[in-house]
Amino acid sequence: ARGVTLIELLDEIYLDPAVGLFVNHYEPDPRYGAYRGVEGFSKKLTILENAIALFERVGRGERVLIGGVPVSAAEQYQTGKYDELHNWKGFPDEGIRFWLGDQMNWLILRPSGTAQALRFHVQLHAPRVTRDSIVREKQRLRELARAVVAELRHEVGA
């Protein structure tokens, strides 16, 4: 009725200083398919163990950067629903969230609930954008999200 696209409508919302711009990014690991066999399962567990070690470093107050962004906190999400099924008692089966600066910016690494794979999810926020800057900010946040995932992949051996 207004003659605007969905993207244009979202951009109007993002221009509101009470909302700001949000960019979300997702990548699986492996990038295609799933971990196969005992060797693949072993690699997946090693990556998860490395993620827990990184979580513990953050918990000890060590300075940790991911993609050049300081990690301000980390949090585990544990339901216990995979403890017996996957035999990794106590692993945060819903993932580990690394807070990047404030509560609006984060990266989650979690095991897939449907495949022998891992999932990387990122949310980044720019609090203030203008009509002139929104396209540049979207691109900047998308590039930063890819860099954050790339660095976490490197850090945990994915």
Side-chain angles (χ1 to χ4, degrees), residues 83-120:
D83 279 358
E84 286 185 31
L85 180 65
H86 294 293
N87 197 26
W88 53 35
K89 187 156 182 59
F91 181 78
D93 54 359
E94 292 299 314
I96 298 174
R97 182 184 306 235
F98 297 97
W99 297 100
L100 305 171
D102 62 29
Q103 297 294 306
M104 303 295 256
N105 299 287
W106 45 259
L107 163 64
I108 293 176
L109 170 60
R110 69 173 187 81
S112 169
T114 58
Q116 277 296 8
L118 297 171
R119 310 284 188 227
F120 295 90

Side-chain angles (χ1 to χ4, degrees), residues 17 22 24 29 47-48 54-55 75 79 113 115-116 121 133 144 153:
F22 286 89
N24 293 287
D29 193 76
I47 292 167
L48 295 173
L54 186 61
F55 168 82
E75 185 175 10
T79 64
Q116 277 296 8
H121 298 273
S133 70
L144 179 57
R153 281 180 183 277

Side-chain angles (χ1 to χ4, degrees), residues 41-80:
F41 186 74
S42 177
K43 178 178 180 179
K44 178 181 170 183
L45 288 180
T46 298
I47 292 167
L48 295 173
E49 288 168 353
N50 291 341
I52 290 172
L54 186 61
F55 168 82
E56 290 170 348
R57 286 179 49 208
V58 172
R60 288 191 302 268
E62 291 182 30
R63 180 171 160 79
V64 174
L65 299 172
I66 299 178
V69 180
V71 176
S72 56
E75 185 175 10
Q76 292 184 2
Y77 295 94
Q78 176 66 41
T79 64

Side-chain angles (χ1 to χ4, degrees), residues 10-11 15 19 28 35-36 43 46 66 75 101 113 134 138 145 154:
L10 285 172
D11 284 352
L15 292 171
V19 177
Y35 295 111
R36 300 284 181 219
K43 178 178 180 179
T46 298
I66 299 178
E75 185 175 10
I134 193 166
K138 283 181 186 180
H154 176 75

